[in-house]
Amino acid sequence: GDPAGLMNCFMGFSTFAAKPLINIHDCAVLPAFRRRGVCTAMMARLEAHARERGCCKITLEVLQGNAPAKAAYEKAGFEGYELDPNMGAAVFWQKKLK
C-alpha cells in the first residue's frame, strides 16, 4: 500500500540513567490516514524496538498548541517531565546557526 505516515528517530544516550534512548524528531500521518490508528501503531512498534535495544526512554518535543498530537502522545503514554521537581519542567531551547 501507500505510505501513511513517517516517524524519524535517532538514538541518544541518557547520562542520568547510563542507558540508550530514542528521540522522535518527526512524527507525521498523512491527512487521508489520520484517526485510523497509524500513529498508535508507529508508537507501539517504536516502543518495542526501544525495549529490544535496552533503551530507558523515548523522548519527543511537541508544540504546546498542537492538541491532536498531544492527545496521540498521551494515549501512547508520554507526558511532560521534570528532571528535578524542585527545578521545574524541562524546557527546549535552540540556537540557530546562520
Side-chain angles (χ1 to χ4, degrees):
D2 292 332
L6 164 83
M7 191 169 281
N8 180 27
C9 307
F10 59 86
M11 296 291 297
F13 191 79
S14 169
T15 54
F16 292 99
K19 291 185 177 183
L21 62 84
I22 294 179
N23 178 265
I24 301 170
H25 187 66
D26 298 298
C27 180
V29 177
L30 291 172
F33 295 95
R34 291 183 184 154
R35 307 209 45 84
R36 294 187 184 180
V38 173
C39 183
T40 300
M42 290 192 302
M43 289 287 188
R45 180 60 196 111
L46 178 63
E47 183 174 334
H49 182 74
R51 290 181 186 280
E52 290 166 8
R53 291 182 160 246
C55 293
C56 63
K57 63 182 175 179
I58 302 169
T59 61
L60 58 80
E61 300 148 22
V62 61
L63 293 173
Q64 211 170 13
N66 191 343
K70 288 170 65 176
Y73 302 151
E74 287 173 349
K75 182 179 177 183
F78 287 83
E79 59 189 5
Y81 69 98
E82 296 176 335
L83 296 174
D84 177 348
N86 295 320
M87 296 297 292
V91 179
F92 183 74
W93 286 24
Q94 72 173 356
K95 178 181 179 180
K96 291 186 177 182
L97 303 177
K98 298 176 184 174

